[in-house]
Amino acid sequence: MDENKKLEKAKRLFIDTSFTPVEYDPQYILMVNNLKKYFPIKDGLFASTVGYVKAVDGITFNIKRGTTMGLVGESGCGKTTTGRTILRLSGEKTAGQVLFNGEEVYDKSPAEMRKLRTKMQIVFQDPFSSLSPRLPVGEIIGEAVKEHGIVTKREYNDYIDDIMDKCGLQPFHKYRYPHEFSGGQRQRICIARSLALNPEFVVCDEPVSALDVSIQAQIINLLKDLQDHFKLTYLFISHDLSVVEHISDVVGVMYLGNLVEYGKTEDIFKNPAHPYTKALFSAIPVPDPKAKMNRIILEGSIPSPANPPSGCKFHTRCPYATDRCKEEVPVQKEIETGHFVTCHLFDK
């Protein structure tokens, strides 16, 4: 059986009969509807498929133009896979919709997808491993500019200089190699490389997690300035809740492949509703040694996404779990305008 037939068979296994395609709403640049991404588990002499890692297991959200959505959660919850699946960097999706400017990303032909790549970019977590050590910075930033014909040959050098200047880099940096820069400068190079293609949407995959706190602030401010200047839309993936609060307009909280809470940043931080969200927020450090912390300690570890618990996936660690939570999967509910929670505690 060839790979295409295997993929089609896998898709048939996970068809959701309750799935309803959404119609395009022009206010949103990105609409993600019940997106699923499963990875096969191979075993045996003939590497047959014995199961699936359910990395992204049916998430739904929309991002308005010119805004930032923060995506938070523990390691292994599926945040990075969500970003890569939206950009079609992890092979084919298992199920769901990804509408970019009203068009399904996964319906694009290779030629159409190549054109779309300039409009959807990504800034990776590790600024060193994502840069070629064999190319000077000018070529790293300009390689895709030449490939996609963004500007003419006559305009090329001035264009690269202008992009570097907007990202806090000097013209003479073009001739240096990545190992000659600090971590913060390397991340500026990564940002410049993404912006050089004049994108509309950028996935920022933990872009400041490997940097010092003072440098983090510089990069966050740079991203906000560039967003205002270029009218960019961000999906900002991070572990740092204080950073997410500062940069995001809306926040999504992920747990084991699912979105358990979603809403405006102000609503989420002032009134966290899901037990998992409350536990995450209780771990935010307070810069006052005398302040008393009401830390919520979750017992146990995150279950395997290859064998998630039945019912609510969080019930094995939730202090409020009931027998219903063990059997019935909760549905998303709107507890206030624009604030959605997936939990049985909010059933009317």
Side-chain angles (χ1 to χ4, degrees):
M1 187 183 294
D2 60 29
E3 288 301 318
N4 289 332
K5 289 183 179 178
K6 288 181 180 178
L7 180 64
E8 290 302 319
K9 182 180 179 181
K11 285 183 176 181
R12 287 195 297 271
L13 290 173
F14 302 113
I15 290 177
D16 185 357
T17 55
S18 64
F19 171 71
T20 303
V22 296
E23 295 184 2
Y24 173 55
D25 187 338
Q27 68 175 317
Y28 299 114
I29 189 172
L30 182 74
M31 300 181 72
V32 177
N33 180 30
N34 200 38
L35 179 64
K36 297 182 180 181
K37 177 61 181 179
Y38 297 170
F39 295 95
I41 302 172
K42 304 290 186 179
D43 192 21
L45 181 63
F46 299 101
S48 58
T49 300
V50 296
Y52 291 88
V53 174
K54 300 178 180 180
V56 180
D57 196 19
I59 64 172
T60 299
F61 61 85
N62 304 321
I63 306 180
K64 291 184 177 181
R65 299 178 187 278
T67 65
T68 299
M69 174 180 169
L71 195 59
V72 300
E74 292 173 288
S75 295
C77 70
K79 304 186 300 297
T80 294
T81 303
T82 297
R84 294 178 66 89
T85 304
I86 288 170
L87 299 182
R88 203 172 170 178
L89 296 177
S90 297
E92 292 296 309
K93 66 183 179 181
T94 302
Q97 278 182 293
V98 181
L99 300 182
F100 181 74
N101 284 327
E103 299 180 353
E104 172 59 64
V105 172
Y106 283 85
D107 287 344
K108 300 286 185 181
S109 66
E112 292 172 332
M113 197 64 211
R114 186 176 182 276
K115 293 181 180 179
L116 188 61
R117 292 290 180 203
T118 62
K119 301 301 178 186
M120 305 170 71
Q121 285 293 300
I122 184 169
V123 177
F124 294 100
Q125 178 178 359
D126 188 348
F128 189 66
S129 63
S130 61
L131 298 174
S132 172
R134 299 187 179 188
L135 294 178
V137 166
E139 290 188 35
I140 289 174
I141 297 173
E143 187 177 23
V145 175
K146 291 179 179 178
E147 181 68 23
H148 290 277
I150 303 298
V151 294
T152 63
K153 290 183 178 180
R154 181 179 298 179
E155 300 170 319
Y156 174 79
N157 284 325
D158 290 338
Y159 181 76
I160 298 301
D161 288 345
D162 181 56
I163 290 293
M164 291 179 66
D165 179 65
K166 286 184 170 63
C167 293
L169 298 167
Q170 300 299 320
F172 61 83
H173 287 154
K174 285 193 299 185
Y175 309 105
R176 295 183 178 178
Y177 289 82
H179 72 271
E180 300 179 72
F181 293 88
S182 67
Q185 288 176 316
R186 289 182 198 137
Q187 198 59 282
R188 290 176 185 271
I189 295 168
C190 294
I191 294 171
R193 178 178 59 182
S194 297
L195 291 183
L197 294 178
N198 192 26
E200 297 177 20
F201 173 68
V202 181
V203 174
C204 300
D205 185 11
E206 301 189 44
V208 297
S209 63
L211 306 177
D212 294 335
V213 175
S214 60
I215 306 301
Q216 286 184 12
Q218 294 177 21
I219 297 299
I220 292 298
N221 290 332
L222 172 64
L223 288 171
K224 290 178 69 69
D225 291 342
L226 292 172
Q227 182 176 40
D228 294 338
H229 187 274
F230 291 100
K231 309 302 180 186
L232 297 171
T233 304
Y234 292 143
L235 174 61
F236 192 89
I237 299 168
S238 179
H239 289 286
D240 193 330
L241 294 169
S242 58
V243 170
V244 169
E245 183 180 18
H246 179 69
I247 196 173
S248 303
D249 297 291
V250 296
V251 173
V253 182
M254 281 194 74
Y255 181 80
L256 210 62
N258 293 110
L259 209 59
V260 297
E261 191 162 359
Y262 171 75
K264 295 178 181 178
T265 303
E266 184 179 359
D267 295 338
I268 296 288
F269 277 81
K270 282 188 175 181
N271 181 31
H274 196 280
Y276 177 64
T277 308
K278 292 180 180 179
L280 280 183
F281 285 10
S282 74
I284 299 176
V286 176
D288 183 359
K290 297 181 180 180
K292 187 176 181 180
M293 299 290 292
N294 295 319
R295 179 72 188 275
I296 301 174
I297 305 297
L298 295 178
E299 297 183 359
S301 57
I302 302 178
S304 169
N307 187 26
S310 60
C312 175
K313 293 180 180 179
F314 187 60
H315 84 258
T316 58
R317 305 172 71 194
C318 181
Y320 309 104
T322 63
D323 290 338
R324 182 188 181 192
C325 299
K326 300 176 183 178
E327 300 172 358
E328 185 180 335
V329 178
V331 296
Q332 193 179 70
K333 307 164 194 71
E334 189 173 17
I335 60 173
E336 58 182 324
T337 305
H339 188 173
F340 298 89
V341 181
T342 307
C343 182
H344 287 308
L345 292 175
F346 297 90
D347 290 345
K348 293 182 179 179

